[in-house]
Amino acid sequence: MEYQIYTLPNGIRIAHRQVPYTQIVHCGLMLDMGSRDEKPDQVGLAHFWEHMAFKGTKKRKSYHIINRLESVGGELNAYTTKEKICFYASVLDNHFEKSVELLADITFHSIFPENQIEKERGVILEEMSMYQDAPEDAIQDDFDTILFANHQLGANILGTQESVKSFTRNSLQEFITENMDTEKIVFSIVGNIPFKRAIHIAEKYLKDIPARKTDVKRTPPQSYLPQRVSITKTITQAHCAIGRPAYALKDERRLPFFMLVNLFGGPGMNSRLNMTLREKYGLVYSIDATYSPYVDTGFLGIYFATDKANLDKANALIVKEMQLLKDKPLGKLQLHTAKEQLMGQLAMAEESNQSYMLMMAKSILDVGRVESLESIFTEIKKIEADELQNITQEMFDENQLSYLTFIPE
């Protein structure tokens, strides 16, 4: 079934999609605010709030929050990205109301107890250490800093040790007051729940949330200077990130570029990078290319790890694969295969009701609607080989690529 939207008087939108033949309902509150909305002295505060939302509300202690859904076999979770914060749950449909009430409670009524702030500060510092000990994670965070220098998109979502140690209850309350806008909140529901019942329950717990309006305007990154940075670390492999800023969310080249990146280094084992660097030469265990669009810019990244002695050869092969795409347009069969592969991957992703619930909320916040698979397929089928070649020549310009390499000592 198609999705439906209902808007509350306070501006919160309820997005609903009824799916038969399931007893599980997935629902979540997604807010259009994230780490890029932090001020320089607030780096890591959005993520800190995500953690602290579970630590106590006006009527619950952290123990009761954790057990509310877990005790009936459900799951409660949250995440923070550069542009979004989301609190979500999955439960048997007869516990749907419990999940709605709990999500509303932790999102809008958290009290941030001082003793819990101190505990969670330690938890997040450990989380930061864990990421720093994993070079495949650390390099991606550090690479953001290179691509989006002097901009909040380049800041680490987790923050810094200094910023995390400085946060107080007032810090959290100020960040929420400055950034929460009820017209930029979507409550998303996917499950075998009739629309009227879903709206009735959601309205019960969300309609009395006071309307909030902010005039926060996101500023896009102003300049980009390609860099080549090498850092020596106590690791066994060389880790490398290659990339550049890319197209924004509403750019008409977004979908063709997404297909191009999928062909070049997507999750399929038949991607060009995997076939060359792993299957043909045995230089890597895995290699992938990703494209992440933001509201006003985008991110292209290629990641791999290899033996230090093979680093130059691996980089040369990646550049060679880029050049092949720049020099020669895809043949009819190659283009057809790339389209079929992407359409199949998108269809399989939509099979996950939880993924659809999260995608639906994000899409409504970003562009005001959810595109059907049929309409996306129609756009994919229109993509031409020369269009992809033009995009390749622009985005795979070697002079515009940045490199970050972790070198073993």
Side-chain angles (χ1 to χ4, degrees):
M1 289 182 63
E2 289 297 312
Y3 69 97
Q4 294 171 279
I5 296 179
Y6 179 84
T7 304
L8 298 174
N10 57 17
I12 296 175
R13 282 169 286 180
I14 302 167
H16 170 270
R17 187 190 198 193
Q18 186 168 357
V19 178
Y21 316 119
T22 178
Q23 291 183 277
I24 303 299
V25 60
H26 304 277
C27 56
L29 275 161
M30 189 175 288
L31 300 87
D32 196 19
M33 51 194 283
S35 64
R36 72 169 297 172
D37 301 306
E38 298 161 346
K39 296 174 181 175
D41 63 344
Q42 295 177 327
V43 177
L45 197 48
H47 175 257
F48 201 90
W49 173 32
E50 174 211 316
H51 277 241
M52 285 304 303
F54 293 81
K55 300 305 173 184
T57 67
K58 293 174 183 177
K59 63 181 181 182
R60 287 187 174 93
K61 295 187 181 296
S62 60
Y63 172 85
H64 301 112
I65 292 171
I66 292 169
N67 276 277
R68 178 70 169 158
L69 299 185
E70 297 282 346
S71 63
V72 295
E75 296 178 355
L76 177 66
N77 214 332
Y79 64 83
T80 305
T81 68
K82 303 283 186 181
E83 297 184 331
K84 303 287 184 285
I85 298 173
C86 184
F87 303 99
Y88 62 103
S90 301
V91 291
L92 281 167
D93 51 20
N94 58 312
H95 297 297
F96 172 58
E97 185 165 355
K98 279 185 181 178
S99 65
V100 180
E101 187 273 335
L102 183 63
L103 288 169
D105 196 29
I106 65 173
T107 305
F108 301 107
H109 305 300
S110 290
I111 57 173
F112 313 124
E114 294 289 355
N115 64 327
Q116 292 287 353
I117 287 177
E118 291 308 313
K119 285 182 187 176
E120 212 56 31
R121 197 191 311 280
V123 170
I124 292 174
L125 290 172
E126 290 299 325
E127 184 181 2
M128 292 170 69
S129 297
M130 180 181 74
Y131 276 92
Q132 285 302 316
D133 283 345
E136 65 274 14
D137 293 323
I139 196 168
Q140 297 189 43
D141 289 329
D142 292 351
F143 194 50
D144 284 345
T145 305
I146 291 174
L147 260 57
F148 302 111
N150 304 313
H151 191 276
Q152 282 304 110
L153 281 172
N156 192 322
I157 289 174
L158 300 181
T160 65
Q161 289 210 358
E162 293 73 24
S163 66
V164 170
K165 288 176 182 177
S166 73
F167 295 150
T168 64
R169 178 192 284 171
N170 283 342
S171 306
L172 290 158
Q173 291 169 335
E174 285 175 10
F175 178 72
I176 293 168
T177 300
E178 290 167 357
N179 291 284
M180 184 181 285
D181 185 330
T182 47
E183 292 184 4
K184 296 179 181 178
I185 298 174
V186 169
F187 184 58
S188 183
I189 308 159
V190 174
N192 196 11
I193 304 280
F195 180 64
K196 285 186 178 179
R197 178 168 175 249
I199 296 302
H200 173 73
I201 293 172
E203 196 170 26
K204 181 177 176 181
Y205 298 103
L206 297 173
K207 68 181 174 66
D208 292 331
I209 303 301
R212 299 184 189 215
K213 186 71 179 169
T214 63
D215 56 1
V216 173
K217 288 183 174 60
R218 289 170 169 164
T219 55
Q222 294 302 309
S223 59
Y224 164 67
L225 183 66
Q227 298 183 59
R228 289 178 179 250
V229 179
S230 293
I231 301 172
T232 303
K233 286 181 173 276
T234 52
I235 51 180
T236 56
Q237 285 181 298
H239 290 254
C240 187
I242 307 169
R244 57 167 295 169
Y247 304 124
L249 198 63
K250 295 182 181 179
D251 194 298
E252 61 184 12
R253 295 163 294 183
R254 179 182 64 88
L255 187 57
F257 186 53
F258 186 76
M259 190 176 90
L260 177 68
V261 173
N262 194 60
L263 163 75
F264 183 64
M269 291 291 286
N270 64 338
S271 76
R272 293 201 172 191
L273 291 181
N274 190 73
M275 292 300 291
T276 300
L277 275 82
R278 174 173 165 150
E279 299 300 324
K280 186 174 182 179
Y281 290 98
L283 299 180
V284 300
Y285 175 71
S286 66
I287 181 168
D288 61 85
T290 56
Y291 163 49
S292 301
Y294 301 123
V295 293
D296 47 15
T297 185
F299 168 87
L300 166 67
I302 301 161
Y303 302 101
F304 69 93
T306 190
D307 187 271
K308 181 180 176 181
N310 295 326
L311 181 61
D312 290 343
K313 183 176 182 180
N315 279 328
L317 287 169
I318 292 169
V319 171
K320 183 180 178 182
E321 288 298 327
M322 288 181 176
Q323 194 63 46
L324 287 172
L325 284 168
K326 287 195 289 184
D327 290 345
K328 186 178 179 182
L330 295 181
K332 284 187 178 180
L333 180 58
Q334 291 173 318
L335 182 62
H336 175 75
T337 301
K339 291 177 180 181
E340 288 292 317
Q341 182 165 356
L342 180 57
M343 289 189 289
Q345 290 171 344
L346 292 173
M348 281 195 284
E350 194 166 301
E351 285 286 298
S352 166
N353 289 337
Q354 184 183 79
S355 296
Y356 189 92
M357 179 272 294
L358 297 171
M359 180 279 293
M360 180 165 66
K362 182 179 185 299
S363 186
I364 290 168
L365 286 172
D366 286 339
V367 297
R369 67 186 188 281
V370 182
E371 287 189 81
S372 68
L373 269 182
E374 290 73 18
S375 65
I376 296 171
F377 287 179
T378 299
E379 292 304 310
I380 290 173
K381 290 172 183 175
K382 292 178 183 176
I383 296 172
E384 300 288 346
D386 59 347
E387 180 183 7
L388 292 176
Q389 188 179 20
N390 290 338
I391 290 172
T392 306
Q393 289 168 348
E394 178 187 356
M395 297 307 297
F396 288 173
D397 179 353
E398 198 179 349
N399 294 321
Q400 290 299 309
L401 295 174
S402 287
Y403 289 74
L404 172 60
T405 310
F406 290 172
I407 304 289
E409 286 184 345

